Amino acid sequence: MCEIYVKADPILYESRSRSVRIHGVVTSIRLENLFWDVLADIAARDGMTVNQLIAKLYDEIVEARGEVPNLASFLRVSCMRYLTLVVGREGDGHRNGDADASRPATRRAAEVVALRG
């Protein structure tokens, strides 16, 4: 079983930091490359930049919860929830035109779910 995960491209789990401006305040967020790729897919689907998407997610979580104790973790969980929904739709035979299986992160998510199965 471990061989499946060990063969993952190391670039996917390499971390990188990006500076993001949220309401005029610049903050640095460190995520693994795979999460940056998924955020880029979500942003493109919604017609935004990654920075705009992060600012929107930040605003929505603050409105819902009042604070964001760990933005990087929140973004990782958001990515996983997105991928779970996309793979669920594809598994049910319901293709969402916005969540196309030809997208790189979506393909990777399908591989992950297939490995669990």
Side-chain angles (χ1 to χ4, degrees):
M1 178 171 114
C2 292
E3 182 179 319
I4 294 168
Y5 303 107
V6 171
K7 289 184 177 181
D9 185 350
I11 196 76
L12 295 175
Y13 53 85
E14 183 177 287
S15 295
R16 72 174 177 233
S17 295
R18 288 190 183 177
S19 294
V20 177
R21 183 179 305 272
I22 300 173
H23 300 296
V25 177
V26 177
T27 187
S28 180
I29 300 172
R30 186 168 190 81
L31 296 172
E32 292 74 20
N33 287 323
L34 180 58
F35 290 109
W36 287 117
D37 292 347
V38 174
L39 288 171
D41 280 355
I42 297 168
R45 180 200 69 185
D46 293 342
M48 295 185 231
T49 66
V50 171
N51 287 6
Q52 289 170 328
L53 173 66
I54 291 171
K56 181 175 176 66
L57 289 171
Y58 176 87
D59 288 345
E60 289 180 3
I61 193 69
V62 166
E63 183 178 323
R65 304 269 186 228
E67 65 176 338
V68 185
N70 188 332
L71 183 57
S73 291
F74 169 70
L75 293 173
R76 285 185 189 94
V77 170
S78 296
C79 289
M80 293 306 300
R81 289 179 57 105
Y82 168 77
L83 292 174
T84 300
L85 291 170
V86 168
V87 171
R89 282 188 205 122
E90 291 172 0
D92 291 341
H94 300 292
R95 290 241 168 185
N96 179 338
D98 294 333
D100 186 320
S102 67
R103 297 171 110 168
T106 306
R107 267 199 314 263
R108 285 193 291 265
E111 291 169 4
V112 169
V113 170
L115 297 175
R116 285 190 333 195

